[in-house]
Amino acid sequence: MRILKIDDQISIKRSVDNGTEEQRAIVKKIIETVRQNGDQALKEYTEKFDGISLDELKVPQAEIEEALSQVDGEILEIIREAAENIRSFHEKQLRPSWMTTEENGTVLGQKITPLDSVGLYVPGGTAAYPSSVLMNVIPAKVAGVKRIVITSPPDKKTGKLPPAVLAAAHIAGAEEIYKVGGAQAIAALAYGTESVRPVDKITGPGNIYVALAKREVFGDVDIDMIAGPSEIAILADETAQPDEVAADLLSQAEHDPMACAVLVTPSSALAEAVSAEVERQLAELPRQEIAAGSIRNYGAIYVTESMDEAVETVNSLAPEHLEILTENPMELLGRIRHAGAIFLGRFSPEPVGDYFAGPNHVLPTNGTARFSSPLNVEDFQKKSSILLYSEKALKDNAEKIAAFARLEGLEAHARSIETRLRK
């Protein structure tokens, strides 16, 4: 693994994948075809891309019950416990509507309302991501969303969704599930078909076609984000264990050849030991080729002159995941300004957050933690301002409001105020 001095250019930002012109054209055609032909288009695309001919797109209750019986009982309990942890964490994010009343009769406030409906895209086919189901469905449920829709591509052999995905959906409280993947699923969620009623917001990760489709429909519906490849930065001092640091770097590298894994430390000895340990562990990984590509292209160890410089380096990276593996990690927490999720100490490795602890694992990537937050309850709510002026309050402020309107050249605005003063 490369060991670099801080003078070398340091960045975890990769160019945003806007897709090729051909990919964008394919996505636009798929969306338009689904808008025109509805369910028929969904079935045709499912047969074309997934090799499965479906009579019904919606997952029947019998398949959900079958899935529950197929998942090992111990795994079901783990999913239930993780779901409860996630629910408990997100319930603490709830904020009430509020109103204030002033002496002159003015009432101001904010009304918080859950979205009517959301759609969750779950990538699949050959893989299962029950953790993504929990992390998207549960905050929406906590927010008060009444209708939650899941779409996911069916298995190419069975024509069904993975049992673990259906079990997680059931445990999280989502029962409206469709066997549809790709850009066509995003189109169905955004615009509706005979079977799939449209939703107000779409969340969840996917391949480049899903990402491009989300970008295309944004504005007609809301989306969560266009997520990039996973990334981890580890801030460590000489007390960190090299084998643990290496394992944590590789835990993100195995996601994707474009995933980024970076260690920032003032300790040259730790840097050398971690570099060697990464190479040793890499040789034993089942997903060796993927992880090796990530480490080769986007992995690095940066050696700084001091811990102060290391902290500022991490803030400039604004990583998706940040582990602080120092003697006293809490002492550094207040100095971290930019990170999607912060993991403190050697007993809080990143996978704890991926699956079980409770905070959301849908996080800002590609440096966007400078201005973005993890998926949370507020992403599934909207806010309305409340204004009530009494007659006295309007008369007390009418001249000022009218003057402001005329400052902007909006005479009708001013007259809207003044016509009430003549009565």
Side-chain angles (χ1 to χ4, degrees):
M1 194 170 182
R2 295 175 297 168
I3 300 177
L4 306 171
K5 293 295 185 181
I6 204 62
D7 291 338
D8 294 293
Q9 186 177 5
I10 178 167
S11 175
I12 61 173
K13 292 194 72 173
R14 286 134 292 176
S15 59
V16 177
D17 192 349
N18 293 314
T20 64
E21 186 174 339
E22 180 183 9
Q23 287 171 328
R24 292 193 295 274
I26 289 171
V27 166
K28 288 182 178 180
K29 181 179 180 181
I30 289 172
I31 291 173
E32 186 55 35
T33 303
V34 171
R35 294 186 75 173
Q36 293 291 328
N37 299 332
D39 281 0
Q40 184 60 35
L42 296 181
K43 291 176 180 179
E44 289 176 358
Y45 282 127
T46 299
E47 187 166 5
K48 178 179 179 180
F49 297 128
D50 300 306
I52 291 292
S53 178
L54 297 176
D55 294 325
E56 294 295 329
L57 299 170
K58 189 174 182 179
V59 175
Q61 185 62 33
E63 279 189 25
I64 297 174
E65 293 172 2
E66 179 187 13
L68 288 167
S69 69
Q70 291 175 337
V71 179
D72 180 80
E74 186 176 346
I75 294 298
L76 280 178
E77 284 306 310
I78 291 172
I79 295 174
R80 287 192 181 99
E81 189 173 348
E84 186 52 42
N85 292 341
I86 296 164
R87 184 175 293 105
S88 176
F89 179 86
H90 287 83
E91 282 174 348
K92 295 175 176 65
Q93 298 174 344
L94 282 168
R95 296 173 59 192
S97 301
W98 58 268
M99 286 193 292
T100 61
T101 303
E102 299 179 12
E103 289 184 4
N104 64 3
T106 298
V107 177
L108 301 175
Q110 181 173 268
K111 182 178 183 293
I112 297 178
T113 308
L115 302 182
D116 286 344
S117 58
V118 298
L120 161 61
Y121 186 86
V122 180
T126 59
Y129 297 97
S131 63
S132 287
V133 175
L134 300 182
M135 292 292 181
N136 284 267
V137 171
I138 292 173
K141 294 287 286 187
V142 170
V145 177
K146 298 299 183 187
R147 178 172 171 253
I148 299 173
V149 184
I150 292 176
T151 64
S152 187
D155 182 271
K156 295 179 183 294
K157 294 180 180 179
T158 66
K160 298 179 179 180
L161 300 190
V165 166
L166 293 179
H170 175 79
I171 289 169
E175 302 288 346
E176 187 178 345
I177 308 168
Y178 297 91
K179 305 174 192 177
V180 183
Q184 60 271 27
I186 303 303
L189 290 171
Y191 303 113
T193 68
E194 296 90 337
S195 295
V196 186
R197 287 184 291 131
V199 299
D200 298 317
K201 182 167 186 169
I202 301 171
T203 69
N207 63 19
I208 184 61
Y209 294 99
V210 170
L212 291 176
K214 286 173 69 175
R215 184 171 292 169
E216 190 70 24
V217 303
F218 176 61
D220 291 326
V221 295
D222 192 17
I223 62 172
D224 51 352
M225 63 182 76
I226 304 295
S230 188
E231 58 205 33
I232 187 171
I234 299 178
L235 176 62
D237 62 14
E238 68 281 357
T239 66
Q241 305 293 308
D243 59 335
E244 295 173 359
V245 175
D248 294 354
L249 291 170
L250 290 170
S251 74
Q252 295 310 294
E254 73 172 353
H255 270 297
D256 188 310
M258 290 188 67
C260 179
V262 172
L263 167 63
V264 183
T265 179
S267 172
S268 297
L270 179 68
E272 295 288 349
V274 169
S275 178
E277 189 64 26
V278 165
E279 297 306 319
R280 186 190 70 78
Q281 293 187 25
L282 189 58
E284 301 172 353
L285 278 183
R287 293 168 66 90
Q288 179 188 105
E289 186 175 346
I290 292 172
S294 165
I295 294 297
R296 181 173 59 251
N297 296 318
Y298 299 103
I301 299 172
Y302 287 91
V303 179
T304 63
E305 295 293 331
S306 65
M307 182 55 70
D308 288 344
E309 188 177 48
V311 168
E312 283 311 303
T313 299
V314 165
N315 280 323
S316 71
L317 291 173
E320 177 188 17
H321 306 98
L322 171 64
E323 290 186 3
I324 303 180
L325 300 179
T326 60
E327 187 173 10
N328 295 300
M330 287 296 292
E331 291 183 356
L332 298 177
L333 177 60
R335 297 169 59 188
I336 301 300
R337 302 191 308 278
H338 309 306
I342 304 169
F343 301 79
L344 299 169
R346 59 181 295 225
F347 300 111
S348 310
E350 188 276 339
V352 170
D354 267 352
Y355 299 111
F356 201 74
N360 211 289
H361 76 197
V362 181
L363 302 166
T365 61
N366 209 36
T368 59
R370 301 183 336 273
F371 51 80
S372 298
S373 304
L375 191 71
N376 62 84
V377 167
E378 290 191 0
D379 286 311
F380 300 100
Q381 297 172 323
K382 56 193 178 70
K383 304 174 183 70
S384 302
S385 299
I386 300 169
L387 303 90
L388 188 159
Y389 255 33
S390 65
E391 182 178 2
K392 182 180 186 307
L394 183 62
K395 286 181 176 178
D396 288 347
N397 294 288
E399 290 185 6
K400 289 176 276 189
I401 298 169
F404 216 138
R406 291 192 172 104
L407 175 66
E408 296 188 346
L410 299 174
E411 181 63 24
H413 280 63
R415 294 182 184 184
S416 168
I417 298 296
E418 291 171 342
T419 187
R420 286 162 170 79
L421 303 182
R422 296 193 288 268
K423 295 180 180 178

